[in-house]
């Protein structure tokens, strides 16, 4: 029998911005993801759904793929003529791959959007988000470290992690590794469990490391395996760090930084289309050999 | 052998805003579309792709589902490491279901967006659209009736049809049936063919009717079968006309208005989830019996 305090997590989307395949990309992974025979299934953009009872859900980041993600995951589908089990959305930054799904969640449905003031301002500054009827959709601004309850029985806090402003707000070279309200990690506690969702993190500092220790699960930024991966693949001129994402491997990578901590389940999410961990091979073996899991769309984690 | 002047059309998405199923809707059609055994397949949001040679494509309206639509239609997939056969997007209004897909078409890919000034202003007024790098993505404002070429060899004109402003710009009760730049029809001509795409139309007046006569194909607003359909289904309190869409059936409906014209292929698109023509039955029989086709995702029309 299920215990009442079980925490149910569904990885709705595992890919970084653009998804796998990305619309204009013909890299090895994207080509494989277009070929059903390749064994590499398409993966949608980064989002997590969490529930205590399987009936009421909160969604962390609203990806542009959320309509398909709901279609692919029955627990998130309506139970009546007009209804949604999605009671709230929590945003960790203002990137398009975390925000655009709000435009899908229209049609007179009540829910609450939680974000920092910086991300809330992006929503307020873009009139298109007025499709979310303010009489039905509450926008709740939360301060860094302020506890709130996107579902009854859970306590969530947003905390600053090193990052940068969203790409479309960059003016010239952005400050990297700045802690503020633009990129946050998410901590969720129930009476017995503690989990983290950190889809973007430029660097793992001592404060964040100490916080993650003894967690039941950490869903962490797996954007790039190597810092220069997109340059090497010919799909971009930026390093991971320039994009606000620490690499998995190498010096200062998340493999080393997280491996020393006591964490029950470590799952990579927000994985870029160029990342070799998508497919069997040495990169994936290294990651799995060190006790990490590679997320996938529809992955269910029960804590 | 294919003739050079063939016009290839793919219906990328057939459903009205929200798609089929809509995320928060449990109506008969939406429930069927969630059940693979029902025979009613899910349908994505309204968009058309057009090509002369099968290599370069223009897309009419960028739906929020465009990433999946590209994944489902091989002709729109990249042929190289970074590439897209999509050379341009033409917008017929500023509704979210026609606009939000622009946020997906990021990632340093050059193409051109054509729209009226009214719709262009919506894009300019929302900083999120700055994800489309202005150095790569040209925004071309075109006047009503001004000819332009979203692909070499085709001539397109936007023309005013009775409609209203997008929902998120409504202030109080909007003017209905007003002709202006907010809702337009699209006329496409090649040296031998002429087609129309009109996903939103509040009323078919004499000028529009005369224009459509002798067309090779008309893809027309099939939002609602009956004007009060959403009220009757319990999914909304607005009539079709209040939403800027004339019904298919009944007095002043598109069945009667278009049936008297000489049009080679008449295809309903932009079909709401409540519309009974999605499934077998008397409504669909009536439509097909009068020589209309019901569009579906992936439908190919060669003219």
């Amino acid at each position: 029998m299920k215990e009442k305090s079980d925490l149910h997590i569904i990885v709705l989307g595992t890919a970084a911005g653009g998804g796998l395949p990305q619309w204009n990309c013909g890299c090895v992974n994207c080509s494989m993801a277009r070929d059903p025979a390749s064994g590499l299934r398409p993966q949608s953009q980064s989002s997590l759904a969490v529930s205590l009872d399987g009936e009421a859900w909160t969604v962390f980041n609203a990806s542009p793929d959320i309509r398909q993600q709901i279609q692919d995951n029955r627990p998130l589908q309506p139970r009546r003529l007009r209804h949604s089990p999605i009671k709230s959305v929590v945003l960790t930054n203002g990137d398009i791959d975390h925000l655009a799904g709000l435009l899908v969640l229209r049609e007179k449905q009540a829910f609450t959007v939680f974000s920092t003031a910086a991300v809330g301002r992006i929503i307020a500054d873009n009139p298109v988000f007025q499709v979310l009827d303010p009489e039905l959709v509450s926008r709740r601004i939360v301060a860094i470290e302020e506890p709130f309850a996107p579902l009854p029985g859970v306590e969530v806090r947003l905390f600053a992690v090193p990052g940068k402003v969203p790409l479309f707000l960059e003016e010239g070279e952005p400050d990297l590794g700045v802690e503020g309200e633009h990129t946050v990690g998410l901590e969720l506690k129930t009476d017995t469990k503690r989990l983290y969702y950190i889809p973007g993190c430029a660097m793992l500092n001592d404060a964040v490391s100490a916080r993650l220790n003894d967690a039941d699960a950490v869903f962490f930024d797996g954007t790039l395996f190597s810092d220069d991966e997109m340059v090497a693949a010919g799909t971009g001129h930026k390093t991971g760090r320039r994009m606000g994402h620490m690499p998995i491997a190498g010096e200062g990578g998340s493999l080393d930084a997280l491996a020393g901590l006591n964490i029950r389940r470590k799952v990579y999410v927000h994985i870029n289309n160029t990342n070799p961990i998508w497919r069997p091979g040495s990169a994936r073996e290294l990651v799995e050999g060190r006790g990490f899991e590679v997320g996938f769309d529809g992955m269910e984690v029960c804590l």
Side-chain angles (χ1 to χ4, degrees), chain A:
Chain A
M1 217 182 92
K2 256 184 217 166
E3 296 207 15
K4 249 192 122 181
S5 62
D6 273 357
L7 196 55
H8 308 271
I9 300 134
I10 303 177
V11 180
L12 298 182
T14 320
L20 179 75
Q22 181 176 299
W23 77 286
N24 64 338
C25 187
C27 76
V28 178
N29 287 336
C30 286
S31 300
M32 287 176 72
R34 290 191 186 99
D35 173 13
S38 75
L40 180 53
R41 296 199 46 202
Q43 304 288 324
S44 63
Q45 290 164 91
S46 179
S47 180
L48 231 64
V50 175
S51 178
L52 279 181
D53 60 3
E55 284 300 317
W57 293 79
T58 180
V59 170
F60 299 157
N61 290 326
S63 106
D65 301 319
I66 194 165
R67 203 178 81 83
Q68 188 63 42
Q69 291 168 341
I70 292 170
Q71 175 73 351
D72 290 343
N73 290 282
R74 182 161 288 275
L76 298 184
Q77 296 173 5
R79 317 281 196 261
R80 310 186 285 282
L81 182 58
R82 280 293 159 114
H83 169 260
S84 173
I86 299 174
K87 300 308 171 196
S88 57
V89 172
V90 186
L91 302 172
T92 65
N93 70 7
D95 283 343
I96 293 299
D97 55 326
H98 289 158
L99 209 62
L102 290 179
L103 299 175
V104 174
L105 302 181
R106 57 201 198 280
E107 314 291 357
K108 302 283 175 197
Q109 190 67 41
F111 65 98
T112 305
V113 181
F114 295 92
S115 74
T116 63
V119 176
R121 254 192 313 274
I122 293 172
I123 297 174
D125 288 347
N126 283 276
V128 284
F129 291 109
Q130 289 171 23
V131 287
L132 300 179
D133 184 342
E135 286 185 21
L136 292 167
V137 179
S138 315
R139 301 181 189 178
R140 274 276 317 273
I141 300 299
V142 290
I144 297 290
E145 303 292 353
E146 174 189 345
F148 60 98
L151 288 179
V154 307
E155 186 181 89
V156 169
R157 278 179 179 81
L158 302 179
F159 58 97
V161 299
K164 67 164 190 67
V165 298
L167 181 60
F168 64 92
L169 293 182
E170 283 184 13
E171 293 178 357
E173 283 300 302
D175 282 339
L176 302 174
V178 169
E179 288 189 28
E181 287 197 331
H182 266 297
T183 296
V184 297
L186 185 157
E187 175 182 79
L188 182 147
K189 290 180 185 170
T190 66
D191 45 3
T192 57
K193 302 293 189 318
R194 183 158 56 95
L195 81 80
Y196 294 90
Y197 173 55
I198 309 176
C201 187
M203 170 183 4
L204 208 58
N205 57 25
D206 291 346
V208 177
S209 296
R211 186 165 202 145
L212 302 189
N213 207 22
D214 293 328
D216 293 284
V218 174
F219 295 84
F220 197 78
D221 183 347
T223 310
L224 299 186
F225 184 74
S226 318
D227 195 38
D228 64 350
E229 174 180 309
M230 288 178 61
V231 184
T235 63
H237 60 278
K238 288 181 191 168
T239 63
R241 287 193 172 88
R242 169 62 183 80
M243 299 191 301
H245 298 287
M246 62 195 288
I248 290 175
E251 205 181 316
S254 56
L255 265 190
D256 285 349
L258 289 170
L261 304 176
N262 176 40
I263 299 169
R264 198 167 136 208
R265 294 187 69 168
K266 298 184 287 279
V267 183
Y268 279 122
V269 292
H270 197 276
I271 304 170
N272 194 52
N273 55 69
T274 50
N275 196 319
I277 66 170
W278 282 123
R279 48 184 203 275
S282 58
R284 186 165 183 130
E285 281 163 25
L286 175 67
V287 163
E288 292 179 340
R290 294 190 64 177
F292 288 72
E293 299 171 75
V294 177
F296 56 89
D297 286 16
M299 180 186 200
E300 293 187 44
V301 174
C302 268
L303 300 174

